[in-house]
Amino acid sequence: MDESGKVPFTNVPEAGEDAKSSISEVQKPDVKGTVKDSVFRDLFGDRRYALQLYQALHPEDTDVTEADIGDVTIHNIFTDQEYNDLGMNVRGRLLVMLEAQASWTMNIIIRILLYLAHIWNEHIETTKQNRYGSKRLELPRPELYMIYTGKRKNRPEWLNLSEEFFDGNKDFLEVQVKVLYGEGKDDIISQYVSFTKVYNEQVKLYGRTRKAVLETIRICKDRNLLKEYFEKREKEVINIMMGLFDQEKAVEQYGYDKMKEGELMKAKETARNMKREGMSDTIIAKVLNVGQEVVQQWLAGVDIARM
C-alpha cells in the first residue's frame, strides 16, 4: 500500500518496481499506447473502497476491516486489451470481479474461469504446495461477479456455464457468475453504476471533452455518488477519464487507418445507405467496425485526415 492508501496494481506503470502481488506480476503491453488506468480500477484499488465493495457483498461480515483486504490486483493476463478486471482476497475468499459496460456477453464466464485457474495456479506456486501429492490443496474459495452497467431488459441474477455453452449439461463442470446491477439503496456498487450512467449522459451532451468530465464529477458530488472519492482524487480522475478519451480516439483512428482507400469509400457509402434505412449511428459504427464519431463525420461529409 502506498502513502495514499491505494494498493498498487501489478500492471500499472505508476506502481513502480516495488509493487508486489502474490497473485500475478505478469504485465502486458497495451496496443493502444501508454497503459491508462480506469475509474473502476482506481476506485477499488483503494482499500477503503475495496472494503466497502466487500461489505456490500457480505453485509453479514460486520467485523471485517481494511487489514483483512488482501491482494487487490488487476489480471490483464490473457489479452493485450484494457479491461476492468479485479481480484480481491478477503479472509480466505477470493473475489474475482469483471465489469461489463454497454455490451452483454456470455463469454465473460470463460474469461473469469481462465482468470480463476491462473490465480489458483499462482497461489499453489506461491504457497509451495504440491499439486501432484496426496495432500489436499488449500485454495481460496472463489466468488465470481460481473458488474453490469449497460441497459438490458432481461437481467438474470446468475450466468451459468452449463446453460450458456452446453445446453444445460453440467455433468463435468459448472461455473456460476453473479451479476450485479447496482440496485442497492446506497452501497458503493450502486454508486459506481450510477456514476457510469451520469458519465454516459454527459458524453452524449458534450462529447468526449473535459467539460463532460467536469460535469460528471460535479453532478456525482451533488448527488452524493462517490463524493468522498471524487473530492480526494478529482485531479487524478480527470486525468484518467481524459486518458480514456484519448484511448478511444486512438482505437477509432487505428481502425480507420487500416482501411484501404477503396474500402474507405465503400464504407462511407454503406454508412449513408444504412442511415437512409433508419439505422442509428451506433449500429452503423458496430457493423463497419469504426468509431461512432467517425460515422457521424462521414454522414456530415467531413473528410477525416489519416494519421
Side-chain angles (χ1 to χ4, degrees):
M1 185 189 306
D2 63 20
E3 294 179 355
S4 68
K6 289 183 64 58
V7 180
F9 294 119
T10 58
N11 68 339
V12 178
E14 289 78 3
E17 296 180 356
D18 294 331
K20 296 180 180 180
S21 168
S22 64
I23 294 179
S24 175
E25 293 185 3
V26 178
Q27 296 191 19
K28 286 280 191 174
D30 185 350
V31 297
K32 293 166 287 187
T34 304
V35 176
K36 303 290 185 182
D37 207 344
S38 77
V39 175
F40 180 87
R41 292 190 298 261
D42 187 69
L43 174 67
F44 295 121
D46 188 315
R47 287 186 192 272
R48 289 169 296 181
Y49 305 115
L51 174 60
Q52 292 179 38
L53 173 64
Y54 177 80
Q55 290 172 328
L57 298 170
H58 289 284
E60 76 286 354
D61 202 349
T62 56
D63 62 342
V64 67
T65 67
E66 289 183 23
D68 294 312
I69 304 295
D71 303 289
V72 180
T73 311
I74 305 307
H75 308 284
N76 288 340
I77 53 178
F78 299 111
T79 174
D80 286 337
Q81 298 183 21
E82 196 73 6
Y83 291 106
N84 284 335
D85 307 331
L86 176 72
M88 182 165 64
N89 199 334
V90 186
R91 292 182 169 180
R93 285 189 174 105
L94 175 62
L95 279 64
V96 183
M97 183 171 294
L98 280 62
E99 183 193 28
Q101 295 180 336
S103 59
W104 176 278
T105 173
M106 69 288 296
N107 294 333
I108 211 160
I109 305 173
I110 304 302
R111 277 176 53 200
I112 209 167
L113 176 60
L114 292 173
Y115 287 154
L116 177 60
H118 177 83
I119 294 168
W120 272 347
N121 182 63
E122 289 290 315
H123 175 79
I124 291 168
E125 292 186 357
T126 300
T127 55
K128 301 186 182 336
Q129 298 184 69
N130 181 8
R131 73 193 71 197
Y132 302 107
S134 59
K135 183 180 179 181
R136 188 187 70 178
L137 297 172
E138 297 294 332
L139 300 172
R141 185 171 78 250
E143 296 182 7
L144 311 178
Y145 298 96
M146 175 179 75
I147 293 183
Y148 181 64
T149 62
K151 296 179 180 179
R152 182 178 170 86
K153 291 182 179 179
N154 182 19
R155 297 160 73 87
E157 182 181 1
W158 296 90
L159 291 178
N160 299 287
L161 178 70
S162 60
E163 294 177 6
E164 299 292 344
F165 289 90
F166 305 119
D167 299 322
N169 188 315
K170 46 186 167 185
D171 290 345
F172 293 95
L173 179 65
E174 179 63 301
V175 176
Q176 289 186 303
V177 178
K178 187 173 181 63
V179 187
L180 307 173
Y181 300 97
E183 296 175 335
K185 292 183 178 180
D186 193 33
D187 62 48
I188 197 166
I189 298 173
S190 302
Q191 290 184 50
Y192 177 77
V193 172
S194 296
F195 150 73
T196 65
K197 293 177 180 178
V198 172
Y199 164 76
N200 290 335
E201 291 168 357
Q202 297 310 302
V203 169
K204 285 182 180 179
L205 289 173
Y206 302 109
R208 292 176 300 182
T209 63
R210 188 178 183 86
K211 183 173 179 59
V213 173
L214 294 175
E215 282 297 293
T216 297
I217 294 174
R218 180 189 64 78
I219 293 170
C220 286
K221 285 182 180 180
D222 290 345
R223 297 181 184 176
N224 201 27
L225 302 174
L226 306 177
K227 184 176 181 179
E228 178 191 37
Y229 167 71
F230 285 126
E231 287 179 342
K232 290 184 176 180
R233 292 186 59 79
E234 181 167 343
K235 185 180 296 185
E236 291 83 357
V237 171
I238 292 172
N239 290 336
I240 288 169
M241 295 174 74
M242 294 306 298
L244 293 174
F245 287 158
D246 291 341
Q247 281 192 0
E248 291 169 5
K249 185 175 181 180
V251 170
E252 290 176 358
Q253 293 293 341
Y254 174 72
Y256 172 82
D257 193 51
K258 286 169 57 177
M259 293 183 176
K260 296 179 181 178
E261 196 63 37
E263 294 174 337
L264 177 60
M265 297 301 295
K266 183 177 180 180
K268 287 182 178 180
E269 185 59 30
T270 301
R272 296 187 186 103
N273 291 336
M274 293 173 72
K275 192 66 175 180
R276 292 190 193 102
E277 294 296 324
M279 296 186 185
S280 69
D281 296 351
T282 302
I283 296 299
I284 297 172
K286 287 183 179 179
V287 171
L288 298 180
N289 194 28
V290 296
Q292 188 171 335
E293 285 190 357
V294 172
V295 169
Q296 292 170 345
Q297 290 173 319
W298 284 351
L299 296 175
V302 177
D303 187 24
I304 307 172
R306 287 183 174 274
M307 292 180 65

